[in-house]
Amino acid sequence: MKHFSLKQKYSREQFIYAVNLLLLFLVYFTTARLGLKINAVSGFATLVWPPTGIALAAIFLSGRKYWPAIFAGAFLVNVVTGAPFFVAIGIAAGNTLEAVIGAMLLNRFGYIGNQNKLNDALTFILHGVVFSTIIAATIGVTSLFIGGLVSTAAYPATWMAWWVGDALGALVVGNLIIVFAKRFSLKKIKIGRTPEVMAFIVLFVVSNIAVFTHVWGSTIIAPSSPILVYALFPLLIWAAVRFGPLGTAVTIFFVSIFSIWTTFTGTGPFTLGSLSQNLLMLQGYIGIIAGTTMLLSSMIAERFTIEKQLLDEKNKDEAILESIGDGVIVIDTKGVVMLINHAASSMLGIGLDESIGQLYEKVVKIETMDGALLSGETRPYSQALRSMKVITGNYYFLRWNKKKFPVTLTTAPIVLEGTVVGVIDVFRDISHAQEVDKAKSEFISLASHQLRTPLTTMKWYTGALLDKDVGELSEEQRQYIGEIYHNNERMIGLVNSLLNVSRIELGTFIINPVPVHMNKIADEVIHDLLPYTDSKKIKIIGRYDKHLPEIKMDPELLRIIFQNLLSNSIKYSKEDSSIHVSVVVRDREVVISVSDSGYGIPKREQEKIFTKLFRADNARSIDAEGSGLGLYIIKSIIEQSGGRIWFESQINEGSTFYVAFPLSGMSAREARHSLVNNS
Ligand code: ADP
């Protein structure tokens, strides 16, 4: 059964193939007969030969397997016209090869057939029209020559007529069929363009009648004046520009048929010589108008395609931009908003017309997290333009209704071929994240505060035990209770640090600057640290400016700063070394430096050193008990009170930490809590 059904399918295909072959044969034969009837040179070479186009299109569109129809058609038509058997075989072979090689060349050179590109049209003209037709003309005329039907003298004229006929057949008919097959679709027909098409058809018919017939005789221009042919040019250009490659091919087809017919019947501008001369001239004319309009229409189609691609790309980019959940604003180098996406306009509460084309500074007001309004050169936009670098940070954006919301903003310069053409701002509303952070800090603040009471109680009781307040302890008991005491102290330190971190992050710690002698505070801290320096045989050497004035500092915060820097230096120094502390006035600033010759900080980890909980690799092996919070805390204190901190460090050579404040001292802040000093 299975075998049978397969066989059936095979037979069906065979049947369709056979019908197609027959149809192609009939069309070929009929059109060829028609062509030969129109004044064939030497009886067989005609200037009008549509079969070439039909054969080329058939093989190009449906495949090489249709060659037998062409061969049979060409053979038969020549036999009927009176060619001896072998001459007809030769001619048929030439015509078949012309179509097969023509289609092969078209495929080889990437011809698609829709003429959406100039290249497509050029390939067709070159290979389908000019080259492949040389084959049929040469083989055909040579066959006639060998068969004694063409003399040496008549050879060139016969060849010329053959070649022109074939080339025009390919150019007019072949092109029409292929372009029709590749471009025609009912869906593409635009009803709205009917009036234009109607107007074109009317003018086209009128012009053709005027040019090629003597219906409207004129005393001004003779009916056969060659100048008349130009009258068709505007219409041909109209077709090429407005109706695409298919419309153009149809137009040319009709001009060809009409002009050949009228020339044949003796009217129109191509009637000055013998019929074959006239037809040769006419075919030259058709060749020129067909070729040029074909190139023109394909160029225009190519332009449309590119325009559409560009538009599609643009729409796609815009859709992507619109779909981004973050706010995006693009600003040109003059500070004018070029583009704003939906997320940005809804976050800012402005419409597109209120923002695009306006000055960015007017559209978006930006404040620092401390509430200072940024304008002109201080805005991230200007910084990015100036430095050509990406700027990131947290800011407040002001809505048009004056409400502000916190954002995390990335401002990047847009560089096109080496020049900055603008800036792109991408931002996200972080109100929610900030609230969550705040809730977390509040929780930590509360929890660590609560934890301090039991820890303090434990400190007192273990202290009392160690002080023998309730009697003597055995050596072992002393040792155990000593461990408890030490670890309890560590816990208190950690809890205090956590409390400080949460207060810093909530911005709720007091800064109360009063005039102080900074060297005195440094000395006090050094004194407190004696037990540690002594146990490691470390010497701390202080060097203070002799004329150091009193500076307005919060003594508690200053103590925390010294205490952290010095205890780090002690921790990360080898035994028997020295640490240098200095407080000097330099460039209208008071600068503290703490310098050790200890283990140093590895280069690759230096940029993370002020991050919360960060500890360098070497520090972890030197001291297992650190928390990685000290530097984060003092950096926050210093920056929130108007100073800055930085350091220099070389691995295994030592580190120097610097802290600088303006001579005016720390900036004051009122708040609910003080920070806790661990010492
Ligand atoms: P902790 O000392 O508790 O680890 P800090 O925040 O005070 O935390 O310091 C963070 C890290 O910075 C330390 O773990 C250490 O790696 C490095 N560091 C700080 N001060 C020094 C120093 N004087 N010498 C070497 N490394 C240091």
Side-chain angles (χ1 to χ4, degrees):
M1 270 311 276
K2 205 173 171 203
H3 182 247
F4 177 73
S5 70
L6 261 179
K7 201 172 165 203
Q8 252 207 339
K9 190 173 165 239
Y10 183 65
S11 320
R12 204 174 144 255
E13 276 173 5
Q14 278 287 74
F15 177 71
I16 294 173
Y17 173 58
V19 171
N20 283 343
L21 265 187
L22 190 67
L23 281 175
L24 181 57
F25 164 77
L26 288 175
V27 174
Y28 193 95
F29 182 82
T30 324
T31 50
R33 213 49 212 133
L34 205 76
L36 283 171
K37 280 218 164 110
I38 303 176
N39 185 54
V41 178
S42 309
F44 296 93
T46 169
L47 281 156
V48 182
W49 190 250
T52 291
I54 295 168
L56 179 67
I59 302 279
F60 176 74
L61 294 170
S62 310
R64 223 175 283 172
K65 62 178 189 265
Y66 284 98
W67 71 267
I70 295 159
F71 188 86
F75 173 73
L76 210 69
V77 85
N78 280 292
V79 168
V80 172
T81 319
F85 181 80
F86 284 110
V87 172
I89 292 273
I91 294 175
N95 285 3
T96 312
L97 275 178
E98 171 187 72
V100 171
I101 293 178
M104 208 180 75
L105 284 172
L106 290 179
N107 283 322
R108 165 73 184 76
F109 289 98
Y111 176 66
I112 297 170
N114 60 9
Q115 282 177 22
N116 258 347
K117 286 194 168 140
L118 176 63
N119 245 351
D120 212 41
L122 273 175
T123 310
F124 185 78
I125 292 178
L126 217 61
H127 300 289
V129 176
V130 179
F131 289 161
S132 64
T133 46
I134 292 175
I135 301 169
T138 310
I139 298 181
V141 180
T142 308
S143 300
L144 289 174
F145 177 72
I146 294 170
L149 296 167
V150 170
S151 64
T152 319
Y155 191 103
T158 317
W159 189 93
M160 189 51 132
W162 195 303
W163 180 68
V164 169
D166 279 18
L168 265 292
L171 186 61
V172 176
V173 181
N175 180 50
L176 174 66
I177 301 173
I178 296 176
V179 173
F180 184 85
K182 295 285 180 176
R183 292 188 79 94
F184 183 74
S185 130
L186 279 176
K187 273 188 235 148
K188 278 202 208 150
I189 295 177
K190 294 186 189 110
I191 305 292
R193 292 188 60 188
T194 314
E196 184 185 347
V197 174
M198 297 307 290
F200 176 79
I201 292 175
V202 169
L203 274 173
F204 180 66
V205 171
V206 169
S207 311
N208 271 282
I209 294 173
V211 173
F212 294 111
T213 73
H214 296 172
V215 175
W216 298 302
S218 161
T219 46
I220 305 166
I221 303 172
S224 55
S225 167
I227 201 84
L228 278 170
V229 297
Y230 294 103
L232 289 185
F233 282 20
L235 285 156
L236 295 170
I237 293 169
W238 180 356
V241 172
R242 300 284 301 165
F243 306 132
L246 180 55
T248 309
V250 172
T251 308
I252 291 293
F253 181 71
F254 283 114
V255 177
S256 309
I257 293 185
F258 193 69
S259 60
I260 290 171
W261 178 60
T262 50
T263 305
F264 187 66
T265 55
T267 60
F270 299 96
T271 49
L272 300 172
S274 69
L275 181 57
S276 53
Q277 280 171 340
N278 292 345
L279 283 176
L280 193 65
M281 300 287 263
L282 173 65
Q283 292 292 53
Y285 171 71
I286 295 175
I288 289 167
I289 59 169
T292 44
T293 47
M294 190 170 157
L295 294 179
L296 181 62
S297 66
S298 62
M299 263 158 71
I300 288 164
E302 181 164 3
R303 218 195 75 187
F304 279 150
T305 319
I306 293 171
E307 266 176 17
K308 187 162 179 322
Q309 277 169 354
L310 288 176
L311 197 72
D312 285 353
E313 278 299 312
K314 192 169 161 264
N315 289 344
K316 207 166 80 191
D317 288 351
E318 277 178 14
I320 292 172
L321 210 63
E322 277 309 310
S323 327
I324 296 176
D326 287 354
V328 177
I329 301 179
V330 178
I331 311 110
D332 70 11
T333 45
K334 295 198 182 86
V336 174
V337 174
M338 286 159 60
L339 205 146
I340 178 164
N341 75 342
H342 178 72
S345 66
S346 77
M347 271 189 254
L348 291 163
I350 42 168
L352 295 189
D353 45 335
E354 290 164 314
S355 44
I356 291 177
Q358 305 292 321
L359 269 183
Y360 183 42
E361 197 146 348
K362 292 213 175 104
V363 175
V364 183
K365 300 240 177 301
I366 303 183
E367 285 183 1
T368 61
M369 286 321 253
D370 300 332
L373 187 70
L374 294 177
S375 62
E377 290 300 291
T378 54
R379 286 169 68 100
Y381 157 80
S382 312
Q383 289 175 32
L385 263 190
R386 221 179 315 124
S387 64
M388 294 260 280
K389 285 200 182 113
V390 179
I391 313 259
T392 40
N394 289 353
Y395 302 90
Y396 279 113
F397 269 15
L398 262 67
R399 282 207 180 87
W400 268 32
N401 62 7
K402 302 273 187 287
K403 263 196 181 168
K404 60 182 182 180
F405 61 102
V407 294
T408 174
L409 170 71
T410 305
T411 305
I414 307 169
V415 182
L416 202 72
E417 289 165 7
T419 23
V420 185
V421 292
V423 163
I424 180 163
D425 266 9
V426 179
F427 57 94
R428 173 175 299 177
D429 186 340
I430 51 166
S431 312
H432 181 65
Q434 263 196 351
E435 275 162 26
V436 172
D437 267 359
K438 190 166 169 236
K440 273 196 242 164
S441 296
E442 276 168 358
F443 172 75
I444 293 175
S445 168
L446 212 72
S448 37
H449 190 73
Q450 294 291 320
L451 280 170
R452 268 154 50 101
T453 322
L455 290 173
T456 316
T457 316
M458 276 165 72
K459 178 183 167 95
W460 283 119
Y461 281 106
T462 41
L465 282 174
L466 287 174
D467 287 347
K468 303 175 199 158
D469 288 359
V470 283
E472 280 296 333
L473 298 175
S474 72
E475 192 43 41
E476 212 174 2
Q477 285 167 337
R478 258 192 75 78
Q479 203 190 327
Y480 285 9
I481 294 187
E483 275 302 313
I484 296 173
Y485 186 85
H486 171 71
N487 279 293
N488 190 57
E489 284 289 283
R490 266 185 74 193
M491 187 91 94
I492 292 173
L494 206 59
V495 165
N496 283 343
S497 296
L498 285 178
L499 190 64
N500 283 346
V501 167
S502 59
R503 285 180 181 172
I504 282 168
E505 289 182 351
L506 289 167
T508 56
F509 69 93
I510 302 169
I511 306 172
N512 184 19
V514 290
V516 292
H517 288 291
M518 289 173 68
N519 51 336
K520 273 197 188 148
I521 295 187
D523 281 338
E524 281 165 24
V525 176
I526 294 170
H527 180 79
D528 291 347
L529 289 169
L530 272 178
Y532 302 102
T533 41
D534 285 352
S535 71
K536 279 184 94 169
K537 300 199 201 80
I538 286 175
K539 239 186 19 229
I540 301 187
I541 303 154
R543 188 174 67 82
Y544 311 116
D545 230 329
K546 276 197 201 99
H547 310 292
L548 197 66
E550 280 192 329
I551 295 188
K552 284 177 93 178
M553 293 270 165
D554 182 316
E556 274 319 302
L557 296 181
L558 189 60
R559 203 162 272 130
I560 295 176
I561 295 169
F562 273 125
Q563 211 257 331
N564 262 283
L565 292 178
L566 281 165
S567 59
N568 275 349
S569 284
I570 299 167
K571 255 197 296 189
Y572 303 115
S573 278
K574 293 171 192 143
E575 290 200 352
D576 261 337
S577 57
S578 16
I579 293 167
H580 294 267
V581 182
S582 78
V583 183
V584 291
V585 172
R586 198 195 295 153
D587 297 338
R588 306 209 45 74
E589 277 185 325
V590 53
V591 182
I592 302 168
S593 76
V594 176
S595 175
D596 62 53
S597 49
Y599 298 99
I601 303 165
K603 268 264 164 325
R604 70 195 136 81
E605 294 185 305
Q606 290 191 355
E607 64 182 39
K608 292 190 230 147
I609 225 68
F610 292 110
T611 331
K612 203 164 32 174
L613 299 173
F614 184 81
R615 308 197 64 212
D617 285 340
N618 59 347
R620 264 179 273 179
S621 51
I622 297 158
D623 166 44
E625 293 186 358
S627 66
L629 289 173
L631 285 183
Y632 171 74
I633 291 174
I634 63 166
K635 183 171 199 275
S636 308
I637 296 174
I638 293 164
E639 286 179 354
Q640 290 190 29
S641 55
R644 57 201 177 91
I645 176 167
W646 71 101
F647 68 93
E648 290 157 1
S649 185
Q650 282 287 334
I651 190 86
N652 291 329
E653 283 185 18
S655 317
T656 305
F657 279 81
Y658 300 92
V659 175
F661 277 100
L663 284 178
S664 53
M666 288 180 167
S667 29
R669 173 157 77 196
E670 286 184 25
R672 272 186 298 150
H673 307 283
S674 311
L675 291 188
V676 193
N677 194 344
N678 265 332
S679 55

Short mmCIF file of all heavy atoms in Angstrom, two decimals, residues 531-550:
data_model
loop_
_atom_site.label_atom_id
_atom_site.label_comp_id
_atom_site.label_asym_id
_atom_site.label_seq_id
_atom_site.Cartn_x
_atom_site.Cartn_y
_atom_site.Cartn_z
N PRO A 531 49.04 49.83 77.61
CA PRO A 531 49.13 48.38 77.84
C PRO A 531 49.43 47.61 76.55
O PRO A 531 50.19 46.66 76.56
CB PRO A 531 47.73 48.02 78.36
CG PRO A 531 47.12 49.29 78.83
CD PRO A 531 47.79 50.41 78.10
N TYR A 532 48.84 48.07 75.43
CA TYR A 532 49.06 47.34 74.18
C TYR A 532 50.43 47.62 73.60
O TYR A 532 51.11 46.72 73.12
CB TYR A 532 47.99 47.75 73.15
CG TYR A 532 46.58 47.50 73.65
CD1 TYR A 532 45.79 48.54 74.13
CD2 TYR A 532 46.06 46.20 73.65
CE1 TYR A 532 44.52 48.31 74.60
CE2 TYR A 532 44.78 45.96 74.12
CZ TYR A 532 44.01 47.03 74.60
OH TYR A 532 42.76 46.79 75.07
N THR A 533 50.84 48.91 73.65
CA THR A 533 52.15 49.23 73.08
C THR A 533 53.24 48.54 73.90
O THR A 533 54.19 47.98 73.34
CB THR A 533 52.40 50.74 73.04
OG1 THR A 533 51.92 51.32 74.26
CG2 THR A 533 51.70 51.39 71.87
N ASP A 534 53.07 48.55 75.20
CA ASP A 534 54.09 47.92 76.06
C ASP A 534 54.22 46.43 75.76
O ASP A 534 55.32 45.90 75.64
CB ASP A 534 53.73 48.11 77.54
CG ASP A 534 54.03 49.55 77.95
OD1 ASP A 534 54.63 50.28 77.11
OD2 ASP A 534 53.62 49.96 79.06
N SER A 535 53.05 45.77 75.63
CA SER A 535 53.13 44.33 75.44
C SER A 535 53.81 43.97 74.12
O SER A 535 54.38 42.91 73.97
CB SER A 535 51.75 43.68 75.54
OG SER A 535 51.00 44.04 74.40
N LYS A 536 53.74 44.89 73.11
CA LYS A 536 54.41 44.58 71.82
C LYS A 536 55.72 45.34 71.67
O LYS A 536 56.32 45.32 70.59
CB LYS A 536 53.48 44.96 70.66
CG LYS A 536 52.43 43.91 70.35
CD LYS A 536 51.59 44.27 69.14
CE LYS A 536 52.13 43.66 67.86
NZ LYS A 536 51.20 43.81 66.74
N LYS A 537 56.13 46.00 72.76
CA LYS A 537 57.36 46.83 72.77
C LYS A 537 57.36 47.82 71.60
O LYS A 537 58.31 47.95 70.83
CB LYS A 537 58.60 45.93 72.69
CG LYS A 537 58.71 44.96 73.83
CD LYS A 537 60.16 44.48 73.92
CE LYS A 537 60.28 43.18 74.66
NZ LYS A 537 59.96 41.99 73.88
N ILE A 538 56.22 48.50 71.47
CA ILE A 538 56.10 49.48 70.37
C ILE A 538 56.19 50.87 70.97
O ILE A 538 55.65 51.14 72.05
CB ILE A 538 54.76 49.28 69.64
CG1 ILE A 538 54.84 48.03 68.76
CG2 ILE A 538 54.40 50.49 68.78
CD1 ILE A 538 53.57 47.64 68.07
N LYS A 539 56.91 51.78 70.25
CA LYS A 539 57.04 53.15 70.74
C LYS A 539 56.20 54.07 69.86
O LYS A 539 56.27 53.99 68.64
CB LYS A 539 58.50 53.57 70.62
CG LYS A 539 59.05 53.97 71.97
CD LYS A 539 60.42 54.55 72.07
CE LYS A 539 61.07 55.13 70.88
NZ LYS A 539 62.44 54.66 70.67
N ILE A 540 55.36 54.93 70.52
CA ILE A 540 54.61 55.90 69.71
C ILE A 540 55.26 57.26 69.89
O ILE A 540 55.42 57.74 71.01
CB ILE A 540 53.13 55.95 70.13
CG1 ILE A 540 52.49 54.57 69.97
CG2 ILE A 540 52.37 56.97 69.29
CD1 ILE A 540 51.00 54.53 70.20
N ILE A 541 55.65 57.86 68.76
CA ILE A 541 56.33 59.15 68.84
C ILE A 541 55.40 60.22 68.28
O ILE A 541 54.94 60.12 67.14
CB ILE A 541 57.64 59.11 68.02
CG1 ILE A 541 58.52 57.97 68.55
CG2 ILE A 541 58.37 60.44 68.06
CD1 ILE A 541 59.48 57.41 67.54
N GLY A 542 55.09 61.22 69.08
CA GLY A 542 54.18 62.29 68.65
C GLY A 542 54.97 63.48 68.13
O GLY A 542 56.04 63.82 68.65
N ARG A 543 54.51 64.13 67.09
CA ARG A 543 55.16 65.34 66.58
C ARG A 543 54.04 66.32 66.22
O ARG A 543 53.24 66.07 65.31
CB ARG A 543 55.98 65.01 65.33
CG ARG A 543 56.84 66.16 64.83
CD ARG A 543 57.72 65.70 63.69
NE ARG A 543 56.94 65.37 62.51
CZ ARG A 543 56.51 66.29 61.63
NH1 ARG A 543 56.78 67.57 61.79
NH2 ARG A 543 55.79 65.91 60.58
N TYR A 544 53.97 67.40 67.04
CA TYR A 544 52.84 68.32 66.83
C TYR A 544 53.35 69.70 66.47
O TYR A 544 54.40 70.13 66.94
CB TYR A 544 52.00 68.41 68.11
CG TYR A 544 51.64 67.04 68.68
CD1 TYR A 544 52.11 66.64 69.93
CD2 TYR A 544 50.86 66.16 67.94
CE1 TYR A 544 51.81 65.39 70.44
CE2 TYR A 544 50.55 64.91 68.44
CZ TYR A 544 51.02 64.52 69.69
OH TYR A 544 50.73 63.28 70.17
N ASP A 545 52.61 70.39 65.64
CA ASP A 545 52.94 71.77 65.28
C ASP A 545 53.04 72.60 66.55
O ASP A 545 52.13 72.54 67.38
CB ASP A 545 51.79 72.32 64.41
CG ASP A 545 52.33 72.95 63.15
OD1 ASP A 545 53.45 73.47 63.23
OD2 ASP A 545 51.62 72.91 62.11
N LYS A 546 54.17 73.36 66.65
CA LYS A 546 54.34 74.14 67.89
C LYS A 546 53.24 75.18 68.04
O LYS A 546 52.80 75.48 69.12
CB LYS A 546 55.70 74.85 67.83
CG LYS A 546 56.83 73.95 68.29
CD LYS A 546 58.06 74.79 68.61
CE LYS A 546 59.29 73.92 68.55
NZ LYS A 546 60.04 74.02 67.29
N HIS A 547 52.86 75.75 66.92
CA HIS A 547 51.87 76.83 67.00
C HIS A 547 50.47 76.34 66.67
O HIS A 547 49.67 77.07 66.10
CB HIS A 547 52.25 77.96 66.04
CG HIS A 547 53.67 78.37 66.21
ND1 HIS A 547 54.11 79.01 67.35
CD2 HIS A 547 54.74 78.21 65.41
CE1 HIS A 547 55.41 79.22 67.24
NE2 HIS A 547 55.82 78.73 66.07
N LEU A 548 50.23 75.09 67.00
CA LEU A 548 48.91 74.54 66.68
C LEU A 548 47.82 75.28 67.44
O LEU A 548 47.84 75.32 68.67
CB LEU A 548 48.89 73.05 67.07
CG LEU A 548 47.78 72.21 66.47
CD1 LEU A 548 47.93 72.11 64.95
CD2 LEU A 548 47.80 70.82 67.09
N PRO A 549 46.91 75.93 66.73
CA PRO A 549 45.88 76.68 67.46
C PRO A 549 44.83 75.72 68.01
O PRO A 549 44.81 74.55 67.65
CB PRO A 549 45.26 77.55 66.37
CG PRO A 549 45.49 76.81 65.11
CD PRO A 549 46.72 75.98 65.29
N GLU A 550 43.97 76.24 68.85
CA GLU A 550 42.83 75.42 69.29
C GLU A 550 41.88 75.31 68.11
O GLU A 550 41.64 76.29 67.40
CB GLU A 550 42.11 76.11 70.45
CG GLU A 550 42.81 75.90 71.77
CD GLU A 550 41.91 76.33 72.92
OE1 GLU A 550 41.11 77.27 72.71
OE2 GLU A 550 42.01 75.73 74.00
#
